Amino acid sequence: MDFVFAGLPVRSGTRRQVSLPAGRLPSGTELTLPIEVLHGTRQGPTLWLSGAIHGDEIVGVEIIRRVLGHVDERRLAGTLIAVPVVNVFGFVAESRYLPDRRDLNRSFPGSARGPLASRLARLFVDQVLRVSDVGIDFHAGSDDRTNLPQIRGNLDDPETRRLAYAFAPPLVVHSSTIKGTLRETALKEGKRVLLFEGGEPRRFSPDAVEAGVAGALRAMHALGMTDELGAPPASNPAESRTTSWVRAPKGGIFRLTVTLGERIDQGALLGIISGPAGRGGREVRSKVAGMVMGYAVNPLVHQGDGLVHIAELEP
Ligand SMILES: [Zn+2]
């Protein structure tokens, strides 16, 4: 049977590109959401993959491109809806936000008569979310931050937990939803969502791309959509339910002494803040044991800036 996407039929065993009109730039140029719909030959769930909801978090764009190269629609069970760039306005401006500085991921479920971000959110909800069963939403660190590849989701839901562990990034994090996010709206609509975080904005961080591609393919296998299990994960994911930022005790230049994914003890040295010539060095230590899940890549810090993001690990 055909899958109908945005009013267009996608035949069994085929893929089709669909461009959804998202609005016009002041120049009159029309912007569209490029979407690939792959409709399989066997029964199965409908999965969406979304990238660049924050326009400068482009790691998901590359992950989705590579996943599309791995999936054969003639052997697929169910349907894959790939939306590599959701925030097309932020993407062309290399910005997290919409032109009016609104955050698309605080604008869900959106409204057809609201501001641009709200309209774009509504378009995604109506055309993609409503016809899907489950989604993977790809993000990277915001501003000058980098993230360990990780899945965030409601780990208290057994099926979400199963999919997160099948994805098998280095870290899975239980997190409650934030108002206005795609994930909050999706959960209200009865959909399951894995939120992937990895790498830096405006970069194809190699570790994040690899973890994202391999994880998405493993999750598709766990959903029964593909037969190939793909590459096994390097290790079982660590799990966290409590995360916190270690902040700069003073302004200065921060020299980081830990790496992403490193396990640290309580009181471990994370780095040293000093003046430009090295005077006045002050050690920054972690109050808790855990795993380094993110850090600020810009060494120039003000008092109170988040320096290192620590995940406290479940036993
Ligand atoms: Zn994001």
Side-chain angles (χ1 to χ4, degrees), residues 224-261:
M225 299 178 76
T226 56
D227 295 327
E228 308 84 37
L229 181 54
S235 61
N236 284 331
E239 180 173 330
S240 176
R241 300 180 78 91
T242 309
T243 69
S244 58
W245 279 92
V246 178
R247 296 191 174 275
K250 65 170 189 175
I253 296 174
F254 182 55
R255 276 180 291 123
L256 184 79
T257 56
V258 290
T259 56
L260 286 182

Side-chain angles (χ1 to χ4, degrees), residues 123-189:
L123 180 70
F124 188 88
V125 169
D126 287 346
Q127 302 295 351
V128 178
L129 192 145
R130 292 239 161 92
V131 299
S132 301
D133 302 305
V134 55
I136 308 176
D137 187 30
F138 292 92
H139 290 254
S142 54
D143 304 318
D144 275 326
R145 292 168 174 178
T146 187
N147 281 330
L148 177 71
Q150 59 197 261
I151 288 288
R152 299 179 185 177
N154 176 15
L155 298 180
D156 291 338
D157 170 51
E159 176 64 4
T160 304
R161 183 183 190 85
R162 185 182 77 86
L163 294 173
Y165 272 84
F167 194 108
L171 178 68
V172 295
V173 181
H174 174 74
S175 67
S176 48
T177 53
I178 300 169
K179 194 169 161 37
T181 57
L182 167 62
R183 192 155 74 91
E184 185 206 44
T185 294
L187 296 185
K188 279 186 184 158
E189 297 268 338

Side-chain angles (χ1 to χ4, degrees), residues 52-57 96 103 105 137-142 195-197:
I53 279 201
H54 293 129
D56 62 348
E57 296 175 10
R96 176 181 179 84
D103 185 332
N105 212 24
D137 187 30
F138 292 92
H139 290 254
S142 54
L195 190 146
F196 174 90
E197 279 279 355

Side-chain angles (χ1 to χ4, degrees), residues 44-68:
T46 298
L47 167 71
W48 92 73
L49 304 177
S50 49
I53 279 201
H54 293 129
D56 62 348
E57 296 175 10
I58 60 172
V59 74
V61 181
E62 176 64 0
I63 292 169
I64 292 170
R65 185 188 72 80
R66 292 204 199 177
V67 168
L68 286 170

